[in-house]
Amino acid sequence: MELRFLGGAGEVGRSAILVDDSLLLDFGLLTAEPPQYPVATPTPDAVVVSHGHLDHVGAIPSLLSGSNRPPIHWTPPTRELALTLARDTLKLHGHSPHCPFTENDVKRVTEVSETHGYRETFAAAGYEVTFYNAGHIPGSAHVHVDDGETRLLYTGDFHVDEPSPDEPPAGFDAGDLPAGQRLVAGSTARPDADVVLCESTYSDVAHDPRATVEHRFEQSVKTTLWEGGTVVVPAFAIGRTQELLMVCEAHDIPCYVDGMGKEVTEMLRRHPEFVRNADALRRAKSHARFVTGRDGQRERIADQPAAIVTTSGMLSGGPAMTYIPEIRANPVNKVTLTGYQVEGTPGRELLETGRAEIDGRVMPVSARVEGYDFSAHADHDGLRRFLDAYDDAEILVNHGDRCGEFAAALRDDGYDASAPALGATYSV
Ligand SMILES: [Zn+2]
């Protein structure tokens, strides 16, 4: 089996791996100005997609802009998320020469799409392929590829639940203790493999226990609401928005939801088998008030003691840009960032300097700004617990800023591990 790394090697973004020049795993884009695509656009016989985040599916429609019509295999939620993201990309970049696909290409995606559930083996480009729950976002999959000789496990992005603590931490009964994400259960499948291509986003990070993060978030938001303030909660549309709505419901925090996360929440309600607890998601959806944005509704809400869960997660667009100017001047208000803030984004700037550039204007923000790590990726211990099951396999490390360091640490512990370079071809 030969693997060619067209993107996501030694970096986060534009994931794309070509197997034997025939089977393409993911085809994402890297959010930047202008967006960056994988280093080559192949003409595969089939495409398999791990999950519906922009850095894994963002460039998929461009594979159909010529005469090639490969089938695209994914889970039902991944298909819907890919189409939502493609339409959003057209809205943002459709007029620009940097947009590599057209509305027609997006329509073709629906014609070649083939959906599969977890643990249902299917044929793609002559390989036997099976999806396993990766615990990252709804529909996310570990992709197992078998050519009859070599078994490859491509982890995609994944999350694992925490081992149960001896005692429930402050603020929780043992029965309601989140062992990981509320939205999706962590990955537990460990199918046999000869080669594991493993993500490493947080290979050098130890996440705080989820219950601790939630408890801090709950206390902070409730304090602000008691003081009569408003809390703006910037959150990514896919996964994070729903997770935060579930956290708000579990802790009885009044909340609004705005931005693309609304339609993703509606969509996920139609795929109950891909979430941890469909009933809890239903409760969270009815607990949250959906913002339409009509008739100055956003300006009115920004005056109320409530949490507003809204895109974009890094303040680079979306309704958050309406709320922040409204709430920024009052120090009783608060902004709670809920995910990693990439360097150069307004969210990162706000966290570090207390100022935000909104619509080209730099605004001082007197409202308090806090960051919370509601990560959907395994941290260092989680990655190592996962790889415990693969100490005889060859490990290839990708999707991280420190892939080489993580591979070296694995080698020190006796693994056969390496970190492929961007553009490189590996025989396994
Ligand atoms: Zn992801």
Side-chain angles (χ1 to χ4, degrees), residues 247-312:
V247 169
C248 285
E249 195 274 335
H251 300 286
D252 217 9
I253 296 169
C255 67
Y256 290 90
V257 57
D258 203 349
M260 201 214 278
K262 287 184 298 183
E263 70 177 277
V264 175
T265 306
E266 306 267 12
M267 184 278 280
L268 291 179
R269 288 276 298 122
R270 298 195 297 273
H271 298 286
E273 68 277 31
F274 289 94
V275 301
R276 189 195 283 264
N277 182 339
D279 206 45
L281 179 61
R282 181 192 54 73
R283 284 200 309 271
K285 181 175 173 268
S286 45
H287 174 78
R289 282 165 285 180
F290 280 54
V291 179
T292 61
R294 280 195 291 269
D295 305 327
Q297 189 193 11
R298 290 191 175 112
E299 287 75 9
R300 275 201 314 281
I301 290 168
D303 244 0
Q304 294 181 22
I308 305 168
V309 179
T310 181
T311 50
S312 84

Side-chain angles (χ1 to χ4, degrees), residues 3 15 56 79 85 108 112 123 129 144 165 246 250 281 284 289 297 311 322 331 359 370 403:
L3 305 179
S15 281
H56 294 257
R79 173 191 186 275
L85 288 169
R108 287 185 190 129
V112 298
V129 180
H144 190 267
M246 293 177 83
L281 179 61
R289 282 165 285 180
Q297 189 193 11
T311 50
T322 306
D359 295 332
E370 297 173 349
C403 297

